[in-house]
Amino acid sequence: MQAKSDCDGARGVRKLLTSNEAVAEAVKLAKPDVIAAYPITPQSPIVEKLSEMVESEELDSRFVRVESEHSAMGVVIGAATAGARVFTATSSHGLAYMYEMCWWAAGSRLPIVMALAARSIGAPWNIHGDHLDLVSLRDLGWIISVAENAQEAFDMTINAFLLSEEVNIPVVVAIDGFTMSHTAEVVNVRQVEIPPRKQAYRILPGMEVALNAVAFGEARMLARFDLARDLEESAGLIEEKLGGLVEEYRLEDAEYAVVVTGGLSGDVKDAVDMLREEGVKIGVMRLRFIRPFPKKAVKELPSQVLVVDRANTDLRGVLSVEVAACGVENKNLVAGIGGKYPTVDELYSCLKRFVDGKLSDVEWLI
Amino acid sequence: MILPGNASCQGCPIAMAMRCLDEIENPVLVIPAGCSTVIAGLHPKSAMKCPVVHVPFASTHSVACGLSEAYRKLGVDATIVAWMGDGAADIGFATLSASATRKDDILTVVVDNEAYMNTGTQASLSTFWKAKTTTSPTGKTEEKRNLALVMLAHKVDYVATASVGYIRDLRRKFRTAGKKDGFRFIHVHTPCPPGWRFPSEKTVEVARKAVMSGAWILWEYDGKLRISPPSEKYADKSKRIPLKEYLNQGRFAHLSDEDVKEIERKIDEEWDLLLKFS
């Protein structure tokens, strides 16, 4: 594995790209054999870009225009079973519609890379960003990475191919709907060599073998355990070669920490900078991955923790519950559901109340 | 292509059809949930002498398409066989239709036992009108869908119906389809002893009576639609055996004479429609 860390400075071309376009540029470098997708806002520009690349012969891939997301995941599962490098992308209801097949992707231990332009799931209809779709992948056995900006969307997508093919677990790269998917930033499009396809097994004609036959009792339970263990252990590889599970921002001497993931992290960092100017010792732990969950890093957080969530499970946010499961008590701010995006000033005032001990246990920034 | 001692029921028509897979070179089977899942073997055993990729119901043709596209891209010679029951054809119909429309390089075999047998004989879109199932305990109120004709409307390269009562005809159709490229569809009539409630030694007899009474019509399309030899003479209604001989099954035991007449009328309609295409 010739993994490149996110910041190793490989030479590239600086381009103005949305996160959708950055993902497509990274996929082009990975040269997938088969791409399958069904359009959905705000993901569609990824696969539109890729189909342009295929039709202009910039990219030598088979692009399958399926009739649903369920079939998009089915096609990439079939192609990966045959030994092909594969890619798909979806969002929101698309992810919900392909949910069954996402289980089969993980259970089959196939290297598969998917981009997710994270978006709210109805009802009611809403096309804007939050993490309600993303968190529905937590129990399946996928590696879940969440980018903060277009550069990281590019880097994480390249890393996703390396990681998935190394550990035989599907990897999703999430970008926030619209605030990232449709927002252009300068991206260093590194010219990275991605090694040839690698995977634990493939099915070929002539083999007298059955894949995923009915497995009762111990065999099924063992498969589930192996997946859970391997997913947990993938943390080592991510920490060592792929930029780590978390980014720590001004945390060294911090007495207060804010845990957050995705594009919203940038706004939280701005609010933290404002408090730092006032002399408050506060920092940010940005989760680059939520599977495997960065338990070790979370356990080392300072005693005062605020988790900012863009998805809830009950009244509490999902990441807040995950952080609590690590034994870390935390206050919780639920924000940005369905694109109700908080301003830096709003975040600043919530953080200020948190530091002053005036924030409730759980608050929704509506 | 299938080992003896597999898990099929006594008199199982699907196991009979599976034996005929040896007509196809380099097969890779894609099997969704159904009786075929069990017949193909439980982990760690496999009853098939070829690779089997087990998949969820509605993904049959998407996984098959992925395998086919990948083998083509990687230069591997294989015949992808999507082997499904009428249940998978119901739940996966949008995917089946999309695959046919794209002309994916897949040979599809639907083994149609006219109900969801693996879950205990619940009614499917393929269940015969008035047939009793566990979800139509007084008899199904809707018509059986003519899936092969629906597939013909997709303008694919090859569509055929077959029956386990006429194995030579079935084998020839597997062989013919196996040698072709593109989207190929074979709809096999598979009378199910426990599901239809007839003695397990009578599978072939019931399958033949379906053809001889005109209730199941054997035909083939490869650019032109032709009635297949075993069915040819039954285009003439006077040559057909009395319908009651075919309907002598537990699932039809409650039919009145009027019901039988109505079924006869529906069969005549089906022939009239099909002969318009030939």
Side-chain angles (χ1 to χ4, degrees):
Chain A
M1 178 177 169
Q2 305 162 17
K4 304 272 186 186
S5 77
D6 286 352
C7 319
D8 70 351
R11 285 200 168 272
V13 182
R14 286 165 69 79
K15 288 187 180 177
L16 188 65
L17 300 175
T18 63
S19 288
N20 274 341
E21 291 163 344
V23 167
E25 288 287 343
V27 171
K28 181 183 163 189
L29 289 175
K31 302 187 182 77
D33 300 296
V34 177
I35 300 167
Y38 188 84
I40 183 167
T41 303
Q43 166 280 123
S44 306
I46 299 178
V47 294
E48 286 170 351
K49 189 81 195 160
L50 288 170
S51 53
E52 277 172 27
M53 290 173 182
V54 170
E55 295 202 357
S56 67
E57 297 181 355
E58 272 177 83
L59 178 57
D60 179 21
S61 301
R62 303 284 304 175
F63 188 101
V64 185
R65 286 178 289 271
V66 287
E67 84 298 344
S68 74
E69 289 86 355
H70 190 280
S71 290
M73 186 51 65
V75 168
V76 296
I77 285 174
T81 302
R85 181 171 283 162
V86 296
F87 176 78
T88 187
T90 193
S91 185
S92 181
H93 288 257
L95 182 68
Y97 202 60
M98 69 163 62
Y99 190 63
E100 174 185 40
M101 297 312 290
C102 292
W103 280 91
W104 277 67
S108 305
R109 299 300 301 265
L110 290 167
I112 288 172
V113 174
M114 174 164 73
L116 179 78
R119 167 189 148 179
S120 207
I121 301 189
W125 281 118
N126 183 297
I127 58 165
H128 292 287
D130 61 36
H131 292 160
L132 286 166
D133 54 359
L134 175 64
V135 296
S136 73
L137 277 172
R138 282 182 310 153
D139 295 343
L140 277 57
W142 279 62
I143 292 175
I144 304 171
S145 55
V146 190
E148 183 189 18
N149 50 44
Q151 182 68 56
E152 202 174 41
F154 176 84
D155 294 332
M156 274 185 171
T157 304
I158 286 173
N159 286 348
F161 285 99
L162 298 168
L163 179 58
S164 186
E165 294 181 16
E166 196 65 34
V167 298
N168 296 290
I169 296 175
V171 178
V172 65
V173 178
I175 55 176
D176 286 345
F178 289 106
T179 47
M180 289 173 65
S181 67
H182 285 65
T183 305
E185 301 171 71
V186 176
V187 176
N188 180 24
V189 179
R190 297 182 289 125
Q191 295 307 298
V192 186
E193 270 296 311
I194 298 187
R197 174 73 169 183
K198 179 176 161 183
Q199 62 189 82
Y201 69 88
R202 63 183 189 136
I203 302 294
L204 292 170
M207 294 166 76
E208 292 184 5
V209 63
L211 175 63
N212 291 326
V214 179
F216 290 130
E218 187 185 89
R220 197 279 168 276
M221 195 159 168
L222 258 178
R224 190 70 181 151
F225 173 75
D226 285 348
L227 173 57
R229 181 203 53 213
D230 293 351
L231 178 55
E232 192 102 353
E233 288 179 358
S234 71
L237 182 62
I238 295 164
E239 292 292 3
E240 195 185 331
K241 293 187 172 172
L242 302 175
L245 292 170
V246 301
E247 179 211 356
E248 298 189 352
Y249 179 79
R250 306 187 84 165
L251 263 186
E252 315 79 44
D253 61 339
E255 292 163 6
Y256 301 89
V258 186
V259 175
V260 64
T261 193
L264 185 57
S265 312
D267 302 279
V268 171
K269 286 175 186 169
D270 287 348
V272 160
D273 287 345
M274 289 159 73
L275 283 162
R276 275 278 175 181
E277 276 177 29
E278 295 169 17
V280 180
K281 290 185 174 176
I282 185 167
V284 176
M285 178 171 285
R286 178 173 67 87
L287 310 186
R288 298 180 72 245
F289 285 78
I290 59 175
R291 282 293 180 278
F293 195 73
K295 294 175 189 166
K296 190 164 169 283
V298 164
K299 283 176 184 168
E300 287 165 5
L301 283 167
S303 61
Q304 297 298 312
V305 176
L306 169 67
V307 179
V308 180
D309 265 296
R310 295 193 74 186
N312 67 302
T313 169
D314 44 23
L315 196 57
R316 239 185 152 79
V318 170
L319 293 179
S320 170
V321 173
E322 296 263 353
V323 167
C326 296
V328 175
E329 278 187 40
N330 63 85
K331 301 269 178 162
N332 188 205
L333 181 67
V334 178
I337 302 278
K340 172 85 180 54
Y341 209 81
T343 63
V344 173
D345 285 343
E346 282 173 325
L347 288 167
Y348 164 81
S349 97
C350 288
L351 264 54
K352 177 89 177 144
R353 287 196 294 118
F354 161 59
V355 167
D356 292 342
K358 290 177 182 163
L359 196 74
S360 310
D361 192 36
V362 184
E363 286 195 19
W364 284 54
L365 189 51
I366 301 173
Chain B
M1 204 53 74
I2 179 168
L3 295 169
N6 61 68
S8 57
C9 304
Q10 262 192 347
C12 175
I14 296 176
M16 291 164 63
M18 275 177 161
R19 273 179 231 137
C20 304
L21 278 167
D22 55 17
E23 299 289 350
I24 296 163
E25 282 181 30
N26 280 333
V28 175
L29 292 189
V30 179
I31 302 183
C35 292
S36 299
T37 311
V38 181
I39 300 168
L42 306 186
H43 174 86
K45 296 173 181 168
S46 177
M48 308 304 295
K49 291 188 273 184
C50 66
V52 180
V53 178
H54 292 273
V55 297
F57 251 165
S59 71
T60 315
H61 279 82
S62 59
V63 175
C65 168
L67 283 162
S68 161
E69 291 288 348
Y71 287 145
R72 183 188 302 186
K73 180 78 167 55
L74 303 173
V76 176
D77 187 28
T79 304
I80 311 298
V81 181
W83 182 280
M84 66 212 295
D86 47 309
D90 285 359
I91 198 169
F93 183 71
T95 309
L96 169 66
S97 174
S99 181
T101 304
R102 283 192 304 262
K103 310 282 192 287
D104 289 342
D105 189 18
I106 295 169
L107 197 173
T108 301
V109 178
V110 172
V111 280
D112 184 357
N113 49 25
E114 300 188 341
Y116 305 145
M117 295 310 182
N118 196 47
T119 42
T121 318
Q122 294 86 12
S124 77
L125 298 182
S126 266
T127 301
F128 214 82
W129 181 70
K130 283 276 177 179
K132 279 189 178 178
T133 69
T134 53
T135 52
S136 60
T138 59
K140 193 189 166 201
T141 47
E142 308 91 41
E143 296 287 325
K144 176 182 174 73
R145 173 177 63 182
N146 191 330
L147 185 59
L149 270 188
V150 174
M151 296 317 294
L152 184 70
H154 286 73
K155 300 176 186 168
V156 294
D157 298 313
Y158 185 82
V159 182
T161 62
S163 164
V164 293
Y166 296 86
I167 287 291
R168 279 205 299 189
D169 179 72
L170 188 156
R171 280 188 172 271
R172 184 183 62 76
K173 286 167 177 168
F174 275 17
R175 193 162 59 243
T176 304
K179 284 181 185 155
K180 288 178 179 288
D181 295 322
F183 195 90
R184 297 144 280 168
F185 184 87
I186 302 176
H187 191 182
V188 186
H189 199 227
T190 52
C192 169
W196 296 13
R197 286 181 280 149
F198 62 80
S200 56
E201 72 274 17
K202 293 198 180 297
T203 305
V204 169
E205 189 182 315
V206 171
R208 288 193 171 206
K209 283 179 173 169
V211 171
M212 292 190 289
S213 64
W216 183 257
I217 308 168
L218 298 172
W219 56 270
E220 188 174 24
Y221 169 87
D222 59 0
K224 187 174 171 1
L225 192 147
R226 280 183 294 268
I227 304 297
S228 303
S231 273
E232 263 172 5
K233 69 173 177 182
Y234 305 113
D236 176 354
K237 195 178 173 184
S238 67
K239 301 274 171 51
R240 295 176 202 162
I241 63 166
L243 183 59
K244 275 188 173 176
E245 289 189 25
Y246 168 56
L247 298 178
N248 184 24
Q249 306 160 29
R251 62 175 177 157
F252 292 127
H254 60 295
L255 297 191
S256 65
D257 287 347
E258 286 72 38
D259 290 337
V260 176
K261 271 195 192 136
E262 177 61 12
I263 293 173
E264 241 180 78
R265 193 189 60 75
K266 289 173 195 291
I267 289 171
D268 292 346
E269 264 182 19
E270 198 77 11
W271 273 96
D272 287 348
L273 177 67
L274 193 64
L275 290 172
K276 281 180 188 149
F277 289 102
S278 65

